[in-house]
Every structure is written in C-alpha cells, then in structure tokens.
Amino acid sequence: MSPCSSQGPRSFEPGTSASQGFSSVFLSRQSRKSTSHAEDKESTMSDSEGYRNPTEVQMSQLVLPCHTNQRGELSGGQLLKWIDTTACLSAERHAGCPCVTASMDDIYFEHTISVGQVVNIKAKVNRAFNSSMEVGIQVASEDLCSEKHWSVCKALATFVAQRDLSKVKLKQITPQTEEEKTEHGVAAERRRMRLVYADTIKDLLANCVIQDDLESRDCSHMVPAEKTRVESVELVLPPHANHQGNTFGGQIMAWMENVATIAASRLCHAHPTLKAIEMFQFRGPSQVGDRLVLKAIVNNAFKHSMEVGVSVEAYRQEAETHRRHINSAFMTFVVLDSNDQPQLLPWIQPQPGDGERRYREASARRKIRLDRQYIVSYKQAELALSVSWDPSNQVYLSYNNVSCLKMLVAKDNWVLSSEVNQVRLYTLEDDKYLSFHLEMLVHVDAAHAFLLLSDLRRRPEWDKHYRSVELVQQVDEDDAIYHVISPPLSGDPKPQDFVILASRRKPCDNGDPYVVALRSVMLPTHPETPEYRRGETLCSGFCFWRQGDQMTKVSYYNQATSSFLNYVTTNVAGLSSEFYNTFKACEQFLLSNRNDLAPSLQTL
C-alpha cells in the first residue's frame, strides 16, 4: 500500500518486499484470463469508428505575405487571433450562445511558420464548470510542398458563456476517450491554479531571491530601458468586435504583441521572434467605440532572451481621464540568426524606482517560468522521481502531484488481476511503467474517509509498512510534507525512509472524487543518511467516490517503472495477499473511526 520507488528492490515504498512485489501481479495476470477494467463499464462512443468530439473545431489558414513579419514568418499576433477565434467557436458550439475570452494560459512557441505554409488549429472543450469552460488548442504547421508537419504550440483558454450580458449555466462535458478523461480530470486542477494565479505570482515574487550583477555591469554597454518604451492607441471598430459588441480577445492580444515587438526591436535593433507568453488575463471587457491605450517596455534582457511587459487600458472619448485596466502580459522574445540560433542581447539599464522593480521581478519570473516549465510541462520519463521542494515551485509541484494521479486514474486499459471478498486488484503495464489499483466499497462517508486517509500520521494505525510518520511541514491547507520510516526490505538490514509531499483536493463538481496524491520530494533538512535506505515514490494516492448515502468507493493507485520486472519471482500469491490484507485493514480503520468526527470535517 505504500508508494513505490523505481530503483530495484530498495525502491519499494512503505509497502511490499522484493519477493512479494509486483511478481504476483505480473504472473497472476499471465496465469488467469485477463479481464479489462473497461469491461465493467458500458462501451463508449470512443469505441466506434470515426468518433469526433462534438465540441471540436478545426481551422486551416494559408500564411500569406499580409500575415507575416519582416522575416517572412507568421506574426505572433496573427496566430493569436486565429487561436482565439478557433477556441471561441469551440466554446460557443458547446454553450450554444456567445462566449468571451477570460484568459489564455502560458504559451511556448516551438517553431516559426513561414509564408506559403499552412497553419492547422484544432480546439475542443476539455471541461465546463458553471459559466466558464476550458478549451484546449493544438497548433501545427504544414509544408504543402514537402508534406512535412511540425507542432507549433499548445494553448489552454478559458471562456465565459454570456446571454444578454448575463452568465449562462453550462451543461457538463461527458468525456469519452482516455485522452478526454485525462484532460477533463486535470482541467479542475488547472482551474484551481488559475484562480490563485495572481496571488501565487505575487507571493513567489516577494519570496524569490534572485542574484544579479546589475551594480557591477559596465553602464556604457547597457541600453536604457526608457529607450524601449512604446505607447500606442487603437480605436475599437465593428470589425474588431464579436456579435455582442465586445472586442475580440484575440484582437487585443494581437495589438499587445505588436507593441511588444516594437519595444523588443528598440533594444536589439533587429527583428525579434516571440518565444513565450505568460498568461493573458482579461480583467474586463471593452466595446466598439473604446480607445485602447497599449504600453510596452523591455523589463530585462538576459543572455539570449528578453522580457517585455505590456499593459492595456480602455477609455471612452467622453471620459478620457477614466481608464479601465483591461489586460497585462509578459512576453519573451529572442533574436535568431540565419541558422535560427539565438543571438546575444545587450544588457538593460533600468530606470531607478519602478524600473528597477520591474527589472528584478523579470528575473524572478524567469526563474519561476523555468521551474514551471520543468515541473508542469515535462515528459514524465524525463522528470526525476524526487524534485527539490521550495516555496518557488510549491504550487507547481502540488499541481504535478495531483495531475499525475488523475492521469493514472483516467487510463482505460487497466486489467483485473484478482478479486477477493469484493476487493479488486487491477494492473496496468505500459512503456516504462507498471501500475496497480485496488478498490473496495466501504460504509463510510466519502468526506470522512478523505479526512482520515489524507493525514499520513494516522497511516501506521492500519498499514504495517508505515513504521512511523513525522509531519515535516504543513505547507498550506491542502499540502503537507511528511518523513516516513518503513521496515527493511527482505535481505536488507536498513529500514527505508521517504520524504513525501501529500496533496489533497476536494471535488470540483458533483461526480468528482476526493483526491489524496503522494509523490517524493527532496528537502535540504532531510537528506539521505547512512541510517536508512532512501526510497522514492513516483505517483500514488487515493480517490474517494460517493456511491450513495454513507457509501464510498475507495481506490488506491500506485505507479512504478518497469525496472521492477527485473525482480519478478515465482511467488504468485504474495502480492495479492499482501495488498488484500492491508486494504482490509484500511477498511477496518475507516469503519472504526467513522463516528470520530473531526472539527475540520465540517468544512468539507
């Protein structure tokens, strides 16, 4: 029942021994007729040929000279307009009414697109909440002559449905395919990050210490930031607006990219290329007749990249002094040479006061952006099992922790390996990972089970593989870090220890489970010691689904790398028996404590 690490027998987390490890699951799965977990459910539309998501919208655009910049490449602003239009059409297909752009998540551009090539954009609604929905967008380019295809970027946009200027209650999305189920589950976690985005960035910037050598640089070789400042005004005309008279979000983003490009050009005296955009968040609408004032300035320049800050304010002709803040964003540019390699950039000399603040905040944002890219936008096989935890990556490690578990839950090729007294054991083998999943029904309220099992300090009461648990740090209401000691593995005299981040989540909507996700992290206060054999947990945790009044389906998941197959033995009955006994002990623990109502239960 403990999370597992991935390096040989020592890698089993508080749980099973090497001889009683994955061997019995693997061998028993081969020795009995496999029964797919999916057979317990009705067949879905994804099983039929030609299934297409009903909210999916595709757009293909031929890149003409009028769409390109001085380098003959598709301008970032034009691409943003196409992305926003496609996503809006998808949102409106689901909502059945007009929709407006609320935000656009970070976008990283992998390739440029040249004149004569085709841009293919695909958008579909991942999940609908109350009046908002997340739309996933994929952008690829196509060379018609060579038939080559490239991935350009992926984007996530949030749209709000409106009818007669009032918000609309949206119908829920029913995911069909494994991919749709994954996106549907993770969308709730991404929404959680968006809602706290501003506060998260503010806290991280306040606590992020960045070392720079600003004082030691030769000012004679620096470009004053004020020389890059740009201010421009745009009049919103009917072609810039949607059917409600609100300015298209994509049009505003395109204007923002335009002034940001001018600011970047004033620093490098060359034609810059847009590489990344930090989240666009629309703080209010603008309408036909509004004047939009766009301001941009280079906040900081690094070795091969620069950050440009852009803001948008709106006002009416009759009230010019009353300006409304519409949007802000930070864009990263590079200057590419003839071989598409980034060139060195001049240093920026910030103005005293606000200029120095923007300069240092840009350095902090760059660190945060790199951390976020590494943790959130990673390929799982390339991410170390234990990532260093610190306040600057706290939010993204928590997101990664919960998202990985939800992606594991969404897999549709689980195989039933054994069933004893209504406790089911499933296994899943794919690529580099071997996973297992246990489930049972318990006569306990889901919120109470969630509360009891999310506190790892109580785990030794029912799981013998947890010898002791120390709460190292209560990060916030939903995240805590524990130091776990487990008994030695078979043939190893040393006990194991684990440093585990536990992230818990309440349901976002009816039908969602309560979630407790576990993964290993590294803390400088708890390094490896000769006393213990350090174990690691890749992805594990619990999900709790309400099955009626005082009835809960409790599911436990655990993922490990396929290196465990090297330790398969002939012990066919070991793992099933071990897991069954531990899971039944968990059931008894829940039943014995179901009337022990903790005060915090009242808040769930």
Side-chain angles (χ1 to χ4, degrees):
M1 287 295 297
S2 44
C4 305
S5 71
S6 70
Q7 299 174 6
R10 75 176 186 85
S11 55
F12 281 84
E13 179 235 358
T16 53
S17 67
S19 61
Q20 293 181 323
F22 286 102
S23 55
S24 60
V25 170
F26 183 73
L27 293 176
S28 61
R29 179 157 56 87
Q30 307 304 319
S31 60
R32 65 171 56 89
K33 182 179 180 180
S34 297
T35 304
S36 170
H37 191 14
E39 292 177 3
D40 297 331
K41 305 175 182 179
E42 295 181 1
S43 61
T44 64
M45 289 175 62
S46 59
D47 296 326
S48 61
E49 291 186 6
Y51 165 73
R52 180 172 176 176
N53 188 297
T55 69
E56 183 180 302
V57 171
Q58 296 184 19
M59 175 187 287
S60 292
Q61 294 281 356
L62 179 63
V63 179
L64 302 175
C66 60
H67 302 138
T68 62
N69 56 25
Q70 303 92 328
R71 289 170 55 93
E73 297 167 347
L74 176 65
S75 73
Q78 181 62 62
L79 179 57
L80 289 170
K81 289 173 67 174
W82 287 340
I83 287 174
D84 182 70
T85 301
T86 311
C88 183
L89 292 173
S90 174
E92 292 185 346
R93 175 172 284 185
H94 177 68
C97 65
C99 296
V100 295
T101 313
S103 67
M104 186 80 71
D105 288 7
D106 300 359
I107 304 177
Y108 300 94
F109 298 97
E110 302 173 27
H111 292 281
T112 57
I113 306 172
S114 301
V115 64
Q117 294 180 340
V118 173
V119 180
N120 296 310
I121 306 174
K122 182 187 298 184
K124 62 181 177 64
V125 178
N126 291 332
R127 181 164 183 163
F129 299 97
N130 291 321
S131 60
S132 68
M133 67 201 96
E134 179 189 278
V135 180
I137 308 113
Q138 294 182 336
V139 182
S141 60
E142 174 187 359
D143 190 302
L144 297 176
C145 298
S146 65
E147 297 186 350
K148 290 183 178 179
H149 294 76
W150 299 270
S151 173
V152 175
C153 67
K154 295 181 180 179
L156 293 164
T158 301
F159 283 82
V160 175
Q162 293 184 339
R163 183 180 286 114
D164 299 326
L165 300 181
S166 299
K167 292 184 178 180
V168 175
K169 176 70 175 179
L170 294 170
K171 61 183 178 182
Q172 297 303 302
I173 290 286
T174 303
Q176 302 295 333
T177 66
E178 179 181 311
E179 178 187 358
E180 291 175 1
K181 292 173 185 176
T182 298
E183 294 295 343
H184 185 271
V186 177
E189 189 64 13
R190 287 192 289 250
R191 179 174 183 263
R192 182 180 185 272
M193 287 184 65
R194 291 185 197 106
L195 293 176
V196 299
Y197 178 81
D199 290 338
T200 298
I201 294 297
K202 183 178 178 180
D203 291 343
L204 292 180
L205 290 175
N207 298 316
C208 190
V209 179
I210 298 293
Q211 301 293 331
D212 61 58
D213 55 352
L214 179 60
E215 291 77 10
S216 63
R217 290 179 181 170
D218 182 1
C219 292
S220 63
H221 292 86
M222 300 174 74
V223 176
E226 287 300 309
K227 285 192 172 182
T228 70
R229 187 180 293 277
V230 180
E231 180 172 328
S232 181
V233 64
E234 297 284 353
L235 174 61
V236 180
L237 300 173
H240 304 141
N242 61 17
H243 25 294
Q244 298 184 94
N246 291 326
T247 316
F248 277 118
Q251 179 63 70
I252 295 177
M253 290 187 280
W255 284 332
M256 294 174 73
E257 190 270 344
N258 177 61
V259 295
T261 301
I262 296 172
S265 300
R266 288 180 175 174
L267 172 71
C268 61
H269 301 295
H271 303 312
T273 298
L274 180 64
K275 292 299 290 183
I277 303 175
E278 197 164 302
M279 179 186 286
F280 285 105
Q281 206 160 18
F282 290 91
R283 304 175 188 275
S286 68
Q287 292 83 27
V288 171
D290 277 348
R291 278 70 171 168
L292 301 188
V293 178
L294 300 103
K295 299 178 181 179
I297 191 171
V298 177
N299 291 329
N300 201 339
F302 309 101
K303 188 175 182 179
H304 293 116
S305 66
M306 69 185 95
E307 180 195 278
V308 180
V310 193
S311 67
V312 185
E313 295 177 330
Y315 69 90
R316 305 295 291 187
Q317 178 63 29
E318 60 273 14
E320 184 173 351
T321 57
H322 180 65
R323 295 188 176 186
R324 312 184 310 274
H325 184 195
I326 299 297
N327 206 334
S328 293
F330 301 99
M331 303 187 185
T332 300
F333 288 85
V334 298
V335 176
L336 302 176
D337 61 19
S338 58
N339 295 317
D340 285 338
Q341 296 301 308
Q343 297 182 2
L344 293 174
L345 296 175
W347 298 116
I348 274 286
Q349 181 181 1
Q351 291 293 108
D354 283 347
E356 291 182 348
R357 173 186 57 80
R358 291 194 301 267
Y359 179 93
R360 299 187 188 281
E361 288 181 352
S363 295
R365 273 190 296 270
R366 181 172 181 267
K367 178 185 183 302
I368 293 167
R369 186 164 53 249
L370 293 174
D371 287 346
R372 183 169 59 219
Q373 246 187 307
Y374 174 63
I375 295 171
V376 176
S377 305
Y378 78 103
K379 293 180 180 178
Q380 188 164 10
E382 298 174 0
L383 185 65
L385 293 186
S386 294
V387 177
S388 295
W389 183 93
D390 64 60
S392 71
N393 65 13
Q394 161 197 334
V395 173
Y396 309 112
L397 266 179
S398 177
Y399 165 85
N400 171 269
N401 192 13
V402 176
S403 297
C404 283
L405 181 59
K406 288 187 173 183
M407 286 188 276
L408 187 61
V409 173
K411 297 285 187 181
D412 61 7
N413 51 343
W414 289 96
V415 174
L416 179 62
S417 207
S418 68
E419 182 174 2
V420 180
N421 292 337
Q422 297 183 326
V423 175
R424 292 183 170 188
L425 172 62
Y426 297 92
T427 58
L428 172 65
E429 183 182 353
D430 59 357
D431 296 332
K432 300 181 179 181
Y433 303 106
L434 182 64
S435 309
F436 57 84
H437 159 213
L438 293 101
E439 71 177 28
M440 63 181 174
L441 290 177
V442 184
H443 289 277
V444 176
D445 180 71
H448 201 175
F450 167 72
L451 196 70
L452 289 169
L453 295 186
S454 63
D455 186 354
L456 292 194
R457 291 173 296 183
R458 302 200 66 176
R459 186 80 170 254
E461 296 181 36
W462 59 271
D463 191 345
K464 67 181 181 180
H465 307 102
Y466 278 65
R467 178 182 289 179
S468 66
V469 179
E470 169 200 5
L471 176 62
V472 176
Q473 182 175 351
Q474 186 69 48
V475 179
D476 55 31
E477 180 184 356
D478 296 320
D479 294 274
I481 300 176
Y482 298 90
H483 185 223
V484 177
I485 308 297
S486 68
L489 297 175
S490 177
D492 191 338
K494 292 184 179 181
Q496 279 194 295
D497 75 329
F498 299 81
V499 179
I500 295 177
L501 170 66
S503 304
R504 67 179 199 170
R505 299 289 187 269
K506 302 168 191 175
C508 180
D509 286 322
N510 291 334
D512 282 358
Y514 290 87
V515 174
V516 179
L518 310 172
R519 70 151 298 144
S520 287
V521 293
M522 290 187 292
L523 284 178
T525 56
H526 288 72
E528 292 188 49
T529 63
E531 182 182 0
Y532 300 108
R533 183 84 65 188
R534 177 57 55 92
E536 293 181 301
T537 300
L538 177 63
C539 173
S540 62
F542 290 93
C543 289
F544 309 90
W545 281 273
R546 276 205 169 91
Q547 299 293 295
D549 187 32
Q550 298 297 309
M551 180 68 75
T552 300
K553 182 172 75 172
V554 180
S555 292
Y556 176 76
Y557 296 84
N558 202 321
Q559 183 180 57
T561 63
S562 59
S563 60
F564 280 116
L565 293 178
N566 297 329
Y567 300 94
V568 170
T569 70
T570 56
N571 179 18
V572 175
L575 185 61
S576 298
S577 174
E578 185 82 9
F579 281 166
Y580 171 78
N581 292 334
T582 303
F583 217 41
K584 294 301 287 185
C586 176
E587 178 186 27
Q588 188 57 49
F589 168 77
L590 293 174
L591 293 173
S592 299
N593 292 277
R594 62 183 171 183
N595 296 320
D596 180 21
L597 291 176
S600 55
L601 182 62
Q602 308 304 323
T603 64
L604 295 177

